[in-house]
Every structure is written in C-alpha cells, then in structure tokens.
Amino acid sequence: EGNFSMSTQYGRRWTDSVDTGLDSGHSIASCCSEGFIVVGGFGDDAVAWSDDDGDSWNTTDDLPGQSSQRVHVACDPTCENIVYAALCSAPNMGGIYRTDLTDGSWDDLNAEKFPYYGIAVARTGGTLYAASYAIGVDTSKDLCEEGRFTPSTANLYYSGVARNLTPCETACCGTEDWDYLICGMGGSASWTSG
C-alpha cells in the first residue's frame, strides 16, 4: 500500500510504517553513497525517495508510461542525485528513464520498449544494465544492422540485458547509446509478432 518500515533487529521487530506517497511499492533501492532510499511503485505513479532513513518521503514527477507497468529502481553511484527507473509490462510498453532527485522530472533514455524486470548500475564506471525476458530481434536484419533489436518488427524474443555505458550523460543529438546482450542467455519464442 505504499508504506515503508525497517528493522534494525534482523527482522524481529519493525518500525511503525510511514506513508511514502505512493499507492503501492514494487521495488526498493538503497543509494549508499548519498544515503537515499528509493521506492518504485506500480503503473505510471511517481517514485518516492527519502534522505532521512525513511522518516519522511518526497516524490518525483509521475513516470511516463502505461498504468499496468511495474517500476524497478536503481541509483547511480557515480553521478550525484541520479536515479533510474525501468518499466515492465509487455513488449512495446517498457522503457528506461532517468531523474535528478533535486528536479524530479524524468528523461526518457530511449531504450527499446522491452519489458525490463530488473535494473542495476555498476559501482565502477557507472554502466547501467536492465534485464528483460523479451528482447525483440528482427532476424531478417544482419547482426550489426540498425533496427535489429526492436519490439516493433521483432519476430523472435530472447532473454537478455540492455546495456548503456554512460547513462548519466545524454549523448550527442539527444539519443542514447544502447546495446542488447542476448548471447548465451537462452531463447524464448513464446512472443511472436503478427
């Protein structure tokens, strides 16, 4: 129901719950270097964050997206106040977004609209990884051809990882540089375009 509580006794006792301002909670991340706790909800709700161990909460702007999506959150260990949200629903409906908590508005990082089930940022270098069970591959295109990894023309879907080497920077001309790693991850042909 969007409430937060924590334990300092290994789960034997819990603090009174505090309202985060969200309708529900789906994922949680700790931004250790800055002392933030970040909670992602469900749907196109905001993301909540606390800088005082969960005693009080702030919210970002609402995420762009669909009301049926689950929100996964991660903190950037190399860029101050930067948080990412990966959305999960069905193919053509996911996405990865970035906010500066001091502002609260969301930037679309222009990842393909795959459903993302988890997100992590490397402590060294700040590379962002987002796991998906449905990375769409257009098998009519060559391995390095533009548009090979896309939900819109995919005829086969794989489990894999989307990767961005510099997620806290906007690349030239307003686009982001993503690659999609599917080798050895196992295939899933249960989703087909029609």
Side-chain angles (χ1 to χ4, degrees), residues 11-85:
R12 287 180 285 193
R13 284 186 227 86
W14 292 85
T15 60
D16 292 336
S17 62
V18 177
D19 186 359
T20 64
L22 303 179
D23 293 333
S24 65
H26 178 74
S27 66
I28 189 167
S30 175
C31 309
C32 296
S33 62
E34 295 170 308
F36 294 134
I37 302 166
V38 182
V39 175
F42 188 81
D44 56 359
D45 213 350
V47 166
W49 60 278
S50 172
D51 59 3
D52 59 7
D53 294 328
D55 289 336
S56 63
W57 291 86
N58 305 288
T59 56
T60 64
D61 293 349
D62 288 351
L63 277 157
Q66 311 291 325
S67 60
S68 61
Q69 300 194 43
R70 294 168 295 276
V71 179
H72 301 89
V73 290
C75 307
D76 194 311
T78 61
C79 296
E80 192 173 345
N81 300 322
I82 300 296
V83 169
Y84 304 98

Side-chain angles (χ1 to χ4, degrees), residues 76 78 121 124-129 162-169 177-179:
D76 194 311
T78 61
V121 182
T124 305
T127 299
L128 183 148
Y129 301 91
R163 178 179 69 176
N164 184 308
L165 300 176
T166 56
C168 70
E169 302 170 9
D177 189 21
W178 290 93
D179 51 19

